[in-house]
Each structure stands twice: as C-alpha cells, then as structure tokens.
Amino acid sequence: MSTVSDFIIQRIREWGVSRVFGYPGDGIGEFDGALGAAERDGDGLEYIRPTHEEICALMATAHAKFTGEVGVCVSTSSPGAFHMMNGLYDAKMDNQPVVAIVGQQGLNSLGTGSQQESNLERALADVAEYVQTVVSPEQAQAVIDTAFRTARTRLGPTAVILPHDVQGMTMPDLSPESWVSRSSAVAPSTRVTPPETDIVRAAEVINAGSKVTFLVGHGANGATDEVLEAARLAGAGIITSLRGKQVVPADVPHHTQQLGLLGSLASYTQIKNCDTLVLLGTNYPYGQFLPKSGQARSVQVDLKPEHTGLRYPIEVALWGDVKETLTALIPHLEETTDLSWQNSAAEDMRDWEHEMEAQANVRYSDGVNPRAVFHELNRRLPAEAIVTADAGTTADWYGHHIRLQRGMTGDLSGRLATMLAAMPYAVAAKFAHPTRPVICTIGDGAFQMLGMNELITVKKYLSRWENPQLIILVVHNDDLGQVSWEMRTEDGNPLWRTSQDVESVDYAGWAELLGFTGIRVHSDEDVAGAWDRAFATRGVTLIDAYVSRNVPPLPPHITFEFAKNTGEALLKKDPFAKDVIRDSAEAMVTEGVERIKNAFTKNNG
C-alpha cells in the first residue's frame, strides 16, 4: 500500500519536476523516508541538500528562473519553514513558480504549542499564493495539484503543509464521494493572447509615436525575436530591466541596457525624451526614472494583470503572454522609415560604452578598480555563459559592464534584492544546465552570509556536472559597500564603520582548503590574467579581488540631492572622506572628460 508521501512524490513527478532542494528534520521525516525509498527503487526525485533551508528556497527560485519549470523546496516544520521564508519571498517578488513542501508536527499537536509546532498557515499566508495543511489522505491529491496549478498560473510560491502522521497514512483510491475532490496534474495554458480589439488599439498608439521606447523585463523571456521585430517596425529604442538583460542581445545597437541608478546615460536620455512607452513583461519599480505624467502615451503587456497600470498611467493594458501578444500585434504595426530616434539611442549607447571603458581604466591607490574586474570578465564571457549577480555594488557593476549576448543568461534577486542569492543561484544553474559555464559575482559581505557554506555544497555535488567549470568572483573590499554609499547619498550620513566593516577573510584560501583553485588579485594588472586562468581551469575557481571600497557607483545622472547628501556626509567626518573625495573626483573627471569628448565628436562629425 502506498502512503500519502509516496503519492505526493509520484504526483510531483507527474507535474514535470525531477529535482527538489531539501533539508531534513523530524517534522518531514516520513516524507524524507519515502523520498529515500523511491530513490532506491529508481523512480524517485533528485534530492539536493545544501547547507541551509534558506538556500533550498533560493535554489528552487533560481531553478524556476533558469528553466521556466516549477521549483520545489522541502523542509521540516518550524524552524525549517521559517528559514525558507526569505527564498520564498524572492520567488514571490520576482514572480516565480515555486512549491514548498513543509513538514508539521502530528495532527493532535496543532494549536497546542507542542515542540516545533507553529501556526505555519498563518506564517506562510503572506508569502504564498496558496497555503494549505493536508489533514487527511483524501485531501492530499487536490491540495498538491492546486499548489502546482496556482504556482504556474499566478507566478508565485505556494506551500503544502504535511503533518508528520498524515505523511505515513495509507493513500486510498479516490471514488465519487461528498467533500472529496478528484483533481488533475494538469495546468492551464499561460500562452494568453488579448482580444483583437485591444491589440488593434495598442498598435494604433505605437504607430502614432515618433519616439517609441520599449522597456523590456524578465517577463519577456522567450520573446527575443518578437521584441526585436516589433522594435524594428516601430523604430523603437530598447531598454531592459536588470532581470531582463538576457532578453535582448547586447549587440543590438539600440539596446541601451538598464535604466536608473545602475543604468546607462543612454537609457536615461531615451526615457526622458520618448513620446511612447511600451512596457513588456516588467514591473519596473523605480517610478522616478519613468517619463513625466502626460509626456508619453503608454502600452503595457503582462501576464499578471495586477501589474498593468501600476507604475505609469497606461492607455492600453494588455493581459497576456509577451511572446503571444507581440505575435498578434506585429501584423498591425506600420513599418517606419524614420529611424532617427533609434539611431540616436544607438549613438548615445556607443558613447556610454566608451565612458564605461574609461571608468574601468581608472586606477585607484587603495585597491583594484572593481569596474575593471567586471569589464575584463565581460570581454571573456564564453558562449552560453550563465552569470549571477548579488545585491549591492556587484549589481551596479553587473548592470554597467556585463553585456549578455544571445544564448547567454544572467539573473539575480530582483525586487527583493536579497544578499547572498548569487551563490545558490549559481549552484542551481549548474544543476539545471550542467554543460554550461557559470560565473557567480558576489560581494564579501554577502559571501560571508551563507555563500561560503555553499562551496561545501559545490564540493559535494561537483562530480554530477558534465562541465564542472564554476567561477566565483568575490568582490573583497571589507565593506558593505552599497549600504555605505546609500548612507552617504540618501541620508547624508557618514559611513559608520561599526555597522559597515566586514572582517577580512582569505576567500581564495577557503576555496583552496576545499580543493578548488584560488586566485588572489591585488592589482589592476593582475585582473586580465586572473580571468584567463579561471576560464582555462576545468573545475571550480574562486577569484578573490581586493578592490577599493571607495569607488563610487555613480549614477548616469547625478541629481542635486545625490551631490548634496554626499557632501554633507563627508563633512560629518566620514572615516574615508579623503579617499572618497579622491576616488570620486577620479571617476567624475573621467566621466566629464568622456562626455566632453563625445559631445565634441558629435558636433564635429
């Protein structure tokens, strides 16, 4: 006789899942036992056990991002479920389908305050699109199917709570019976196309524009060709969100990369002058960088209808899949013969690339230029590379310097922007695509959180990857750099070393201790050689780059408030005031020189 756990494992497989990320405990013990039995019988699930439940949930989220499949994570009851919450919020805020299978103490313990018994439904209710405790075998089928169906259609995490005794109960064959649902492991199609009348209205808005800008997000994944064709017809410039980088190849000349603090001046110029804005699969949250109200007519396409019209006043809101919607829209777009707007975006982007190269070539006296590290990485990215970035200044350098070509993939924790995600993302990417090279870029503060632990996970599973090449870049500046700069630029406060200093660790030595290759980079002259050596290594390499903590992540457009707050912070006895002033001056002079050179070139042909 099969148990509830046996049934759920088989049902997970029927939903197309072959790999789960889990951490054991007594609350999920019967289910884990069934997983082990299924593995021995040859019809189980690949069970990946990292070093922490938070990593399990982040890996499940990353798996969903890198494959388009449902990610699954498994944990015991509290505290395991609580540990997973951050990773589940990452899935929620980046619209990823994840199902969490969570253990619980026995049915008789519910509501009694027993050991490790907590109100998990209440705890998970905010993060999960659907959460339900299975209280009988007859209920299990409908609950697990609803969890998967909801995750796929609502693009978010769901949770199934399994009390320990229910996990081992006999699973009956379901027959017609009052209160018993007989459900199916079938999800409805999400290839949604809006009505023709709405498609025509959207085309009319786009056709009427002379300065059309597409803002493309991760929701447009899989629609690269359709985005490019629609932009060609409309003469549109293209901006991508940070998570949408991979949708549009970097060699498209009118793709001006990101918008905002870690975006390009070309994107800033484009968004400030466009007369039509088309939002494609993006919930871009930084309203201060969008056009003024009334400046641009706007169309938005999104599979999550609640996102449409949320960030900017929309004239036509299309509830649909980006690929399917653009396929329906393209025949209605009139091909423009005036490419001046698109060509202007391309010219501005060429100028920006010259500026980024110049910034990468600046030399600082207090450490390696972190821009140089990312710039040299970008020059060497192999075909089909997967690049992960972390929250913090690594996201700035990733946005400014990494250019993903067709076939490459990149991602990070987006709206949640949680630290440490780059490492479990990279490891999950290796499981999802074991033949592809993966590069993880992470700051030292994030690496110390749980990232260092995951090198142990890598050591454990390395033999499973056909191509074992995994490169970890640790941006080593002994500082929580992004927060340090936010203290200065947002609040006018000096850096507070008590909160900001990161204890220096020999990260390359830690990698070597585990049998991997460690490379220490102490000078800008060592950067190129470090990357060459890493890419020539068939295995795991950690590059420990000792970079300056005072290189400013300058936005493309420096506001008065930004300059004023930074000045006030330095006057308040910032401990690195002299270095910040010197390094900022170096960066700003380089920026100014490049912009003067670009303007001179334009004015003189």
Side-chain angles (χ1 to χ4, degrees):
M1 298 290 289
S2 66
T3 65
V4 169
S5 292
D6 296 327
F7 168 79
I8 290 177
I9 292 165
Q10 180 58 34
R11 203 63 162 187
I12 290 173
R13 289 175 59 87
E14 290 174 16
W15 276 99
V17 174
S18 59
R19 178 182 302 116
V20 300
F21 303 92
Y23 204 93
D26 70 301
I28 195 69
E30 188 76 28
F31 183 80
D32 284 346
L35 281 172
E39 180 184 68
R40 290 189 293 274
D41 292 341
D43 59 355
L45 297 162
E46 183 182 19
Y47 182 86
I48 305 300
R49 202 220 75 192
T51 61
H52 196 279
E53 291 95 345
E54 181 178 354
I55 301 296
C56 293
L58 287 168
M59 281 184 164
T61 300
H63 179 87
K65 288 181 175 182
F66 290 128
T67 65
E69 301 170 357
V70 177
V72 177
C73 50
V74 182
S75 83
T76 187
S77 56
S78 56
F82 299 153
H83 283 166
M84 287 206 303
M85 294 282 276
N86 192 54
L88 295 179
Y89 270 107
D90 191 39
K92 178 184 180 70
M93 297 175 75
D94 279 352
N95 312 308
Q96 297 303 308
V98 169
V99 174
I101 308 294
V102 180
Q104 175 62 291
Q105 303 307 300
L107 287 171
N108 289 339
S109 75
L110 298 183
T112 69
S114 183
Q115 175 78 3
Q116 293 193 335
E117 183 276 324
S118 302
N119 190 332
L120 295 179
E121 285 194 4
R122 181 178 294 178
L124 292 163
D126 181 65
V127 69
E129 297 288 338
Y130 169 82
V131 56
Q132 184 61 52
T133 301
V134 178
V135 297
S136 73
E138 290 79 5
Q139 183 198 16
Q141 183 184 87
V143 169
I144 196 71
D145 287 344
T146 302
F148 273 91
R149 188 177 300 111
T150 302
R152 289 191 65 88
T153 56
R154 296 189 187 175
L155 297 176
T158 60
V160 176
I161 301 169
L162 296 177
H164 191 277
D165 44 0
V166 175
Q167 295 168 31
M169 291 179 181
T170 300
M171 185 68 190
D173 292 328
L174 299 183
S175 58
E177 184 179 344
S178 179
W179 301 333
V180 175
S181 294
R182 287 166 291 151
S183 59
S184 304
V186 177
S189 172
T190 55
R191 297 178 64 179
V192 180
T193 306
E196 180 76 3
T197 53
D198 292 344
I199 292 288
V200 170
R201 287 176 55 223
E204 289 172 350
V205 172
I206 297 171
N207 289 335
S210 60
K211 299 178 179 179
V212 181
T213 287
F214 287 4
L215 180 51
V216 180
H218 191 270
N221 255 348
T224 298
D225 292 337
E226 290 75 14
V227 170
L228 294 179
E229 175 62 9
R232 183 188 70 81
L233 294 169
I238 301 174
I239 299 170
T240 50
S241 70
L242 198 61
R243 294 198 58 238
K245 234 175 152 55
Q246 63 192 3
V247 177
V248 181
D251 57 5
V252 173
H254 48 278
H255 172 201
T256 59
Q257 296 289 318
Q258 283 68 72
L259 176 68
L261 292 176
L262 39 65
S264 71
L265 182 61
S267 291
Y268 179 82
T269 301
Q270 194 180 159
I271 209 72
K272 291 302 178 185
N273 294 297
C274 69
D275 63 16
T276 308
L277 179 64
V278 182
L279 300 158
L280 299 172
T282 180
N283 187 27
Y284 183 78
Y286 306 107
Q288 69 270 35
F289 295 105
L290 294 176
K292 294 179 181 178
S293 296
Q295 171 193 320
R297 301 178 72 184
S298 190
V299 172
Q300 186 169 2
V301 182
D302 209 293
L303 255 183
K304 300 199 78 171
E306 64 271 26
H307 287 173
T308 56
L310 178 63
R311 305 299 182 191
Y312 186 78
I314 301 299
E315 190 168 336
V316 183
L318 301 176
W319 178 8
D321 169 75
V322 173
K323 183 180 179 71
E324 299 299 320
T325 302
L326 287 180
T327 298
L329 179 67
I330 284 170
H332 298 280
L333 295 179
E334 300 170 358
E335 183 173 358
T336 183
T337 57
D338 181 5
L339 298 180
S340 58
W341 171 251
Q342 197 176 75
N343 291 337
S344 176
E347 185 177 1
D348 287 344
M349 189 58 192
R350 285 192 293 271
D351 292 344
W352 179 254
E353 295 290 43
H354 290 315
E355 185 171 321
M356 288 300 93
E357 184 171 10
Q359 290 283 7
N361 288 330
V362 175
R363 295 295 174 256
Y364 299 102
S365 61
D366 52 350
V368 175
N369 182 350
R371 290 181 177 274
V373 180
F374 280 75
H375 186 74
E376 292 296 331
L377 164 61
N378 184 65
R379 293 179 60 190
R380 292 164 173 78
L381 282 178
E384 296 192 318
I386 300 175
V387 184
T388 68
D390 213 83
T393 53
T394 51
D396 291 282
W397 316 136
Y398 172 79
H400 282 168
H401 295 278
I402 297 301
R403 303 289 179 257
L404 299 175
Q405 305 298 333
R406 189 183 284 266
M408 296 180 184
T409 307
D411 221 324
L412 73 168
S413 172
R415 195 156 63 91
L416 181 62
T418 182
M419 291 174 66
L420 80 84
M423 193 63 190
Y425 272 35
V427 180
K430 286 301 297 186
F431 282 112
H433 302 286
T435 64
R436 295 174 64 176
V438 175
I439 302 96
C440 168
T441 65
I442 189 168
D444 50 2
F447 196 57
Q448 284 190 14
M449 278 186 162
L450 286 172
M452 294 178 72
N453 288 8
E454 284 316 289
L455 277 184
I456 301 172
T457 303
V458 171
K459 182 177 178 63
K460 179 179 180 181
Y461 292 105
L462 184 62
S463 62
R464 297 196 186 186
W465 302 332
E466 183 178 337
N467 172 8
Q469 187 171 74
L470 170 64
I471 302 172
I472 302 105
L473 164 68
V474 178
V475 181
H476 185 166
N477 61 5
D478 303 331
D479 181 34
L480 298 176
Q482 187 75 6
V483 179
S484 295
W485 280 100
E486 287 169 345
M487 291 176 72
R488 294 166 177 140
T489 62
E490 294 182 8
D491 304 311
N493 287 320
L495 180 145
W496 183 34
R497 296 195 64 171
T498 301
S499 71
Q500 299 307 109
D501 279 3
V502 174
E503 182 67 20
S504 190
V505 172
D506 180 6
Y507 303 108
W510 169 236
E512 291 165 346
L513 182 65
L514 292 170
F516 305 139
T517 299
I519 302 174
R520 298 162 183 81
V521 176
H522 291 282
S523 73
D524 295 89
E525 289 68 33
D526 296 336
V527 173
W531 284 118
D532 288 340
R533 182 182 170 195
F535 281 116
T537 300
R538 181 177 170 80
V540 179
T541 304
L542 187 145
I543 296 177
D544 188 357
Y546 290 75
V547 304
S548 168
R549 69 189 293 167
N550 299 306
V551 177
L554 291 174
H557 174 73
I558 298 176
T559 64
F560 172 76
E561 183 180 13
F562 181 100
K564 173 178 172 290
N565 289 342
T566 304
E568 288 179 354
L570 299 180
L571 290 173
K572 293 176 182 176
K573 297 182 179 179
D574 188 290
F576 294 97
K578 291 182 179 179
D579 294 329
V580 168
I581 291 171
R582 182 191 64 242
D583 292 350
S584 296
E586 290 275 6
M588 292 180 71
V589 166
T590 301
E591 176 185 276
V593 168
E594 284 302 310
R595 293 184 186 180
I596 290 170
K597 284 167 60 178
N598 292 333
F600 180 83
T601 301
K602 287 180 181 179
N603 293 334
N604 292 274

